[in-house]
């Protein structure tokens, strides 16, 4: 007769083996793309500090010269493109996509700016695949004023 071990404390049960098996089953059944998509949406984080807001867009592989930031009527629009790596045409030995998990193509993200943001002082910086857009507060609109009654 074999001894069966049973853990009646679910918080202490090892969940990793089941998750690993489940993930392997799903991985084989999910459809895979063999051609890159024409567009994508970069992940964006919005942070707020005492000086203003900061947008952080994950755009690895996007060149600085393919980015465009415009402010019009209180709306910030960020456009860009991540180019698909292409092989020389006619080269039979060139690598081809077998599975595509990276997003390629163009993207556009728009953000409505609050009235407290100084649109003329917006600064953008692209470093290590992260586009950081600083949206400083307009000190004239944000500063609290006390009005005395006469």
């Amino acid at each position: 007769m074999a001894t069966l071990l049973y853990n009646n404390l679910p918080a202490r049960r090892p969940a990793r083996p089941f998750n690993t098996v489940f993930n392997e089953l799903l991985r084989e059944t999910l459809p895979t793309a063999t051609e890159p998509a024409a567009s994508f949406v970069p992940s964006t984080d919005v942070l707020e500090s005492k000086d203003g807001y900061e947008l952080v867009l994950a755009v690895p592989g996007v060149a600085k010269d393919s980015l465009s930031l415009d402010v019009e009527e209180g709306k910030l629009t960020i456009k860009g493109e991540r180019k698909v790596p292409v092989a020389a045409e006619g080269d039979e030995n060139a690598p081809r996509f077998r599975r595509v998990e990276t997003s390629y193509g163009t993207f556009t993200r728009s953000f409505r700016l609050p009235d407290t943001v100084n649109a003329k002082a917006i600064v953008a910086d692209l470093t290590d695949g992260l586009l950081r857009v600083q949206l400083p507060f307009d000190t004239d609109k944000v500063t609290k004023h006390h009005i005395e009654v006469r």
Side-chain angles (χ1 to χ4, degrees):
M1 181 171 153
T3 304
L4 297 175
L5 297 176
Y6 178 73
N7 183 356
N8 61 358
L9 300 173
R12 294 186 184 170
R13 287 186 193 150
R16 186 172 185 170
F18 177 74
N19 288 342
T20 304
V21 171
F22 191 67
N23 287 338
E24 288 297 322
L25 287 172
L26 283 179
R27 180 179 298 151
E28 297 304 319
T29 60
L30 292 175
T32 59
T34 57
E35 292 295 322
S39 64
F40 71 102
V41 179
S43 300
T44 304
D45 296 330
V46 179
L47 297 97
E48 182 180 4
S49 68
K50 63 179 177 66
D51 299 323
Y53 297 104
E54 181 180 13
L55 300 176
V56 181
L57 285 82
V59 289
V62 175
K64 205 180 271 192
D65 59 346
S66 70
L67 288 169
S68 168
L69 285 82
D70 297 309
V71 176
E72 185 176 349
E73 297 179 8
K75 184 169 75 170
L76 171 67
T77 303
I78 303 172
K79 297 179 183 179
E81 180 180 11
R82 180 183 301 139
K83 299 194 185 298
V84 179
V86 293
E89 290 187 36
D91 185 4
E92 294 176 8
N93 295 328
R96 291 180 178 77
F97 283 110
R98 299 287 290 188
R99 181 183 185 114
V100 179
E101 293 185 0
T102 303
S103 301
Y104 294 100
T106 60
F107 70 88
T108 302
R109 293 292 308 258
S110 295
F111 304 92
R112 177 68 52 197
L113 298 177
D115 293 336
T116 56
V117 169
N118 184 355
K120 294 181 181 179
I122 295 175
V123 178
D125 180 46
L126 180 65
T127 307
D128 298 331
L130 293 177
L131 176 64
R132 295 181 177 276
V133 182
Q134 301 287 335
L135 307 167
F137 289 132
D138 189 348
T139 55
D140 293 338
K141 294 180 181 177
V142 175
T143 307
K144 182 179 177 181
H145 297 286
H146 179 72
I147 301 170
E148 290 187 33
V149 178
R150 294 184 190 184

